[in-house]
Protein backbone atom coordinates (compact mmCIF):
# COMPACT_ATOMS: atom_id res chain seq x y z
CA UNK A 1 0.00 0.00 0.00
CA UNK A 2 1.26 3.48 -0.82
CA UNK A 3 2.38 5.31 2.29
CA UNK A 4 0.24 8.18 3.47
CA UNK A 5 1.56 11.73 3.51
CA UNK A 6 2.21 11.89 7.24
CA UNK A 7 4.08 8.58 7.16
CA UNK A 8 6.38 10.06 4.54
CA UNK A 9 6.95 13.13 6.69
CA UNK A 10 7.86 11.01 9.70
CA UNK A 11 10.20 8.85 7.65
CA UNK A 12 11.85 11.91 6.05
CA UNK A 13 12.38 13.55 9.43
CA UNK A 14 13.95 10.39 10.83
CA UNK A 15 16.30 10.12 7.85
CA UNK A 16 17.33 13.80 8.17
CA UNK A 17 18.08 13.35 11.87
CA UNK A 18 20.11 10.23 11.17
CA UNK A 19 22.13 11.97 8.44
CA UNK A 20 22.69 14.98 10.67
CA UNK A 21 24.00 12.80 13.50
CA UNK A 22 26.31 10.94 11.13
CA UNK A 23 27.72 14.24 9.80
CA UNK A 24 28.41 15.45 13.34
CA UNK A 25 30.24 12.25 14.19
CA UNK A 26 32.23 12.31 10.95
CA UNK A 27 33.19 15.93 11.44
CA UNK A 28 34.22 15.38 15.03
CA UNK A 29 36.36 12.34 14.23
CA UNK A 30 38.15 13.74 11.18
CA UNK A 31 38.41 17.46 11.80
CA UNK A 32 41.75 18.58 13.31
CA UNK A 33 40.24 21.83 14.56
CA UNK A 34 37.31 20.13 16.17
CA UNK A 35 36.51 21.50 19.62
CA UNK A 36 34.21 18.61 20.36
CA UNK A 37 35.10 16.05 22.91
CA UNK A 38 33.72 12.54 22.82
CA UNK A 39 31.49 13.28 25.77
CA UNK A 40 30.12 16.46 24.22
CA UNK A 41 29.47 14.63 20.92
CA UNK A 42 27.48 11.96 22.74
CA UNK A 43 25.49 14.61 24.55
CA UNK A 44 24.76 16.40 21.30
CA UNK A 45 23.61 13.22 19.59
CA UNK A 46 21.50 12.25 22.59
CA UNK A 47 19.87 15.67 22.65
CA UNK A 48 19.15 15.62 18.94
CA UNK A 49 17.70 12.12 19.20
CA UNK A 50 15.48 13.12 22.10
CA UNK A 51 14.28 16.17 20.20
CA UNK A 52 13.61 14.07 17.09
CA UNK A 53 11.75 11.49 19.13
CA UNK A 54 9.64 14.20 20.75
CA UNK A 55 8.76 15.74 17.38
CA UNK A 56 7.84 12.35 15.90
CA UNK A 57 5.74 11.49 18.95
CA UNK A 58 3.86 14.80 18.69
CA UNK A 59 3.16 14.25 15.02
CA UNK A 60 2.02 10.67 15.63
CA UNK A 61 -0.27 11.82 18.46
CA UNK A 62 -1.77 14.51 16.24
CA UNK A 63 -2.38 12.07 13.40
CA UNK A 64 -3.69 9.16 15.54
CA UNK A 65 -7.42 10.07 15.26
CA UNK A 66 -7.07 10.47 11.51
CA UNK A 67 -5.32 7.10 11.24
CA UNK A 68 -8.03 5.38 13.33
CA UNK A 69 -10.75 6.97 11.22
CA UNK A 70 -9.03 5.88 8.02
CA UNK A 71 -8.53 2.32 9.31
CA UNK A 72 -12.19 2.02 10.30
CA UNK A 73 -13.28 3.18 6.84
CA UNK A 74 -10.95 0.63 5.24
CA UNK A 75 -12.49 -2.13 7.39
CA UNK A 76 -15.98 -0.87 6.51
CA UNK A 77 -15.19 -0.90 2.80
CA UNK A 78 -13.99 -4.52 3.04
CA UNK A 79 -17.24 -5.51 4.77
CA UNK A 80 -19.37 -3.61 2.25
CA UNK A 81 -17.50 -5.20 -0.65
CA UNK A 82 -18.16 -8.68 0.78
CA UNK A 83 -21.87 -7.91 1.16
CA UNK A 84 -22.23 -6.68 -2.41
CA UNK A 85 -19.90 -9.15 -4.14
CA UNK A 86 -20.45 -12.29 -2.04
CA UNK A 87 -23.51 -12.22 0.22
CA UNK A 88 -26.19 -10.87 -2.10
CA UNK A 89 -25.02 -13.07 -5.02
CA UNK A 90 -25.18 -16.07 -2.65
CA UNK A 91 -28.85 -15.30 -1.94
CA UNK A 92 -29.51 -15.02 -5.65
CA UNK A 93 -27.77 -18.34 -6.27
CA UNK A 94 -30.03 -20.09 -3.75
CA UNK A 95 -33.13 -18.70 -5.42
CA UNK A 96 -31.81 -19.73 -8.85
CA UNK A 97 -31.10 -23.30 -7.73
CA UNK A 98 -34.49 -23.72 -6.04
CA UNK A 99 -36.22 -22.09 -9.01
CA UNK A 100 -34.54 -24.36 -11.55
CA UNK A 101 -35.73 -27.46 -9.66
CA UNK A 102 -39.27 -26.13 -9.35
CA UNK A 103 -39.37 -25.16 -13.04
CA UNK A 104 -38.42 -28.74 -13.90
CA UNK A 105 -41.20 -30.21 -11.76
CA UNK A 106 -43.80 -27.76 -13.10
CA UNK A 107 -42.95 -28.89 -16.63
CA UNK A 108 -43.47 -32.46 -15.50
CA UNK A 109 -46.89 -31.54 -14.14
CA UNK A 110 -47.88 -29.78 -17.36
CA UNK A 111 -46.72 -32.46 -19.80
CA UNK A 112 -46.68 -35.74 -17.86
CA UNK A 113 -48.88 -35.97 -14.77
CA UNK A 114 -50.18 -34.02 -11.81
CA UNK A 115 -49.45 -37.01 -9.61
CA UNK A 116 -46.29 -35.60 -8.05
CA UNK A 117 -45.18 -38.85 -6.48
CA UNK A 118 -44.84 -40.35 -9.96
CA UNK A 119 -41.75 -38.28 -10.71
CA UNK A 120 -40.59 -36.68 -7.42
CA UNK A 121 -38.80 -38.93 -4.95
CA UNK A 122 -38.02 -38.45 -1.26
CA UNK A 123 -34.40 -37.69 -2.19
CA UNK A 124 -35.65 -35.03 -4.61
CA UNK A 125 -37.65 -33.44 -1.81
CA UNK A 126 -34.65 -33.44 0.54
CA UNK A 127 -32.47 -31.89 -2.15
CA UNK A 128 -34.89 -29.02 -2.69
CA UNK A 129 -35.42 -28.48 1.03
CA UNK A 130 -31.66 -28.41 1.64
CA UNK A 131 -31.21 -25.36 -0.62
CA UNK A 132 -32.42 -23.01 2.11
CA UNK A 133 -30.89 -24.89 5.05
CA UNK A 134 -27.45 -23.41 4.47
CA UNK A 135 -27.32 -20.40 6.79
CA UNK A 136 -23.93 -18.90 5.97
CA UNK A 137 -25.57 -16.27 3.78
CA UNK A 138 -29.13 -15.28 4.59
CA UNK A 139 -30.97 -11.94 4.85
CA UNK A 140 -30.34 -12.14 8.61
CA UNK A 141 -26.57 -12.42 8.23
CA UNK A 142 -26.57 -9.54 5.73
CA UNK A 143 -28.65 -7.45 8.12
CA UNK A 144 -26.16 -8.12 10.92
CA UNK A 145 -23.28 -7.11 8.67
CA UNK A 146 -25.08 -3.90 7.70
CA UNK A 147 -25.62 -3.09 11.39
CA UNK A 148 -21.92 -3.58 12.02
CA UNK A 149 -21.19 -1.27 9.10
CA UNK A 150 -23.36 1.40 10.70
CA UNK A 151 -21.15 1.20 13.81
CA UNK A 152 -18.19 2.01 11.56
CA UNK A 153 -19.93 5.07 10.16
CA UNK A 154 -21.38 3.50 6.99
CA UNK A 155 -25.18 3.81 7.10
CA UNK A 156 -27.34 2.49 4.28
CA UNK A 157 -28.82 5.14 2.03
CA UNK A 158 -32.62 5.34 2.27
CA UNK A 159 -32.99 3.90 -1.24
CA UNK A 160 -30.66 0.99 -0.48
CA UNK A 161 -32.37 0.32 2.85
CA UNK A 162 -35.82 0.17 1.22
CA UNK A 163 -34.62 -2.18 -1.53
CA UNK A 164 -32.81 -4.40 0.96
CA UNK A 165 -36.01 -4.76 3.01
CA UNK A 166 -38.02 -5.72 -0.08
CA UNK A 167 -35.44 -8.32 -1.08
CA UNK A 168 -35.48 -9.80 2.43
CA UNK A 169 -39.28 -10.12 2.44
CA UNK A 170 -39.31 -11.81 -0.96
CA UNK A 171 -36.49 -14.18 -0.02
CA UNK A 172 -38.39 -15.49 2.99
CA UNK A 173 -41.59 -15.82 0.95
CA UNK A 174 -39.74 -17.90 -1.64
CA UNK A 175 -38.22 -20.01 1.10
CA UNK A 176 -41.69 -20.62 2.53
CA UNK A 177 -43.20 -21.56 -0.85
CA UNK A 178 -40.34 -23.96 -1.53
CA UNK A 179 -40.56 -25.63 1.88
CA UNK A 180 -44.36 -25.93 1.92
CA UNK A 181 -44.35 -27.41 -1.59
CA UNK A 182 -41.83 -30.14 -0.85
CA UNK A 183 -43.12 -30.96 2.61
CA UNK A 184 -46.44 -31.44 0.83
CA UNK A 185 -44.81 -33.86 -1.62
CA UNK A 186 -43.36 -35.75 1.33
CA UNK A 187 -46.89 -36.07 2.73
CA UNK A 188 -48.00 -37.49 -0.63
CA UNK A 189 -45.16 -40.00 -0.65
CA UNK A 190 -45.93 -41.10 2.91
CA UNK A 191 -49.69 -41.52 2.40
CA UNK A 192 -51.74 -44.15 0.62
CA UNK A 193 -54.98 -42.22 0.96
CA UNK A 194 -56.06 -40.81 -2.41
CA UNK A 195 -57.87 -37.86 -0.82
CA UNK A 196 -54.76 -36.90 1.15
CA UNK A 197 -52.59 -37.23 -1.96
CA UNK A 198 -54.90 -34.96 -3.97
CA UNK A 199 -55.08 -32.41 -1.16
CA UNK A 200 -51.33 -32.06 -0.79
CA UNK A 201 -50.73 -32.25 -4.53
CA UNK A 202 -52.93 -29.17 -4.92
CA UNK A 203 -51.06 -27.38 -2.10
CA UNK A 204 -47.65 -28.25 -3.58
CA UNK A 205 -48.54 -27.19 -7.11
CA UNK A 206 -50.00 -23.90 -5.84
CA UNK A 207 -46.77 -23.17 -4.01
CA UNK A 208 -44.71 -24.10 -7.08
CA UNK A 209 -46.67 -21.46 -9.01
CA UNK A 210 -46.31 -18.88 -6.22
CA UNK A 211 -42.58 -19.47 -6.20
CA UNK A 212 -42.32 -18.91 -9.94
CA UNK A 213 -44.27 -15.64 -9.77
CA UNK A 214 -42.32 -14.22 -6.86
CA UNK A 215 -38.99 -15.39 -8.26
CA UNK A 216 -39.50 -12.98 -11.16
CA UNK A 217 -40.07 -10.16 -8.67
CA UNK A 218 -36.93 -11.16 -6.77
CA UNK A 219 -34.89 -11.11 -9.98
CA UNK A 220 -36.11 -7.60 -10.77
CA UNK A 221 -35.21 -6.32 -7.31
CA UNK A 222 -31.83 -8.01 -7.37
CA UNK A 223 -30.97 -6.49 -10.75
CA UNK A 224 -32.10 -3.09 -9.51
CA UNK A 225 -29.84 -3.47 -6.48
CA UNK A 226 -26.80 -4.42 -8.56
CA UNK A 227 -27.15 -1.52 -11.01
CA UNK A 228 -28.23 1.10 -8.47
CA UNK A 229 -24.70 2.53 -8.19
CA UNK A 230 -21.38 2.08 -9.95
CA UNK A 231 -19.34 2.40 -6.75
CA UNK A 232 -19.87 0.51 -3.49
CA UNK A 233 -19.51 3.59 -1.21
CA UNK A 234 -22.41 5.22 -3.06
CA UNK A 235 -24.79 2.70 -1.46
CA UNK A 236 -24.00 4.22 1.92
CA UNK A 237 -24.10 7.52 3.76
CA UNK A 238 -20.56 7.69 5.08
CA UNK A 239 -19.92 9.87 8.10
CA UNK A 240 -16.75 10.88 9.88
CA UNK A 241 -16.15 8.61 12.85
Amino acid sequence: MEMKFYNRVLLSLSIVLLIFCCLIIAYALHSKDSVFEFGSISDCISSMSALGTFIIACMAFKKAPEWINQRMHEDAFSMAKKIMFDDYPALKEKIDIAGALIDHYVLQVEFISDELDSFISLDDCNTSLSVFREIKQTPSTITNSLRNLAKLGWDMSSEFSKLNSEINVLYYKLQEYNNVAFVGVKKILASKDKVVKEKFAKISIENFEKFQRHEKEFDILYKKLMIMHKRIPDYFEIGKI
Side-chain angles (χ1 to χ4, degrees), residues 34-134:
S34 174
V35 296
F36 287 103
E37 296 179 358
F38 186 79
S40 62
I41 295 173
S42 299
D43 293 341
C44 180
I45 294 173
S46 178
S47 298
M48 293 298 298
S49 298
L51 178 61
T53 301
F54 176 75
I55 293 173
I56 293 173
C58 289
M59 294 180 69
F61 178 78
K62 184 178 179 181
K63 292 295 181 180
E66 182 180 334
W67 179 86
I68 293 172
N69 186 67
Q70 177 190 335
R71 178 57 188 271
M72 292 179 75
H73 282 312
E74 289 174 353
D75 290 344
F77 178 76
S78 295
M79 292 174 62
K81 184 170 68 173
K82 179 180 180 298
I83 291 170
M84 300 306 300
F85 290 166
D86 297 331
D87 295 346
Y88 278 118
L91 294 189
K92 179 66 165 62
E93 183 180 10
K94 287 184 184 181
I95 301 301
D96 289 345
I97 292 172
L101 293 170
I102 286 176
D103 288 345
H104 171 70
Y105 297 134
V106 169
L107 283 175
Q108 301 273 50
V109 171
E110 291 177 355
F111 294 103
I112 298 177
S113 171
D114 59 0
E115 294 181 359
L116 301 181
D117 54 346
S118 66
F119 54 84
I120 303 179
S121 68
L122 182 61
D123 287 341
D124 292 332
C125 292
N126 290 333
T127 297
S128 291
L129 290 169
S130 69
V131 172
F132 290 97
R133 285 183 186 147
E134 196 281 315

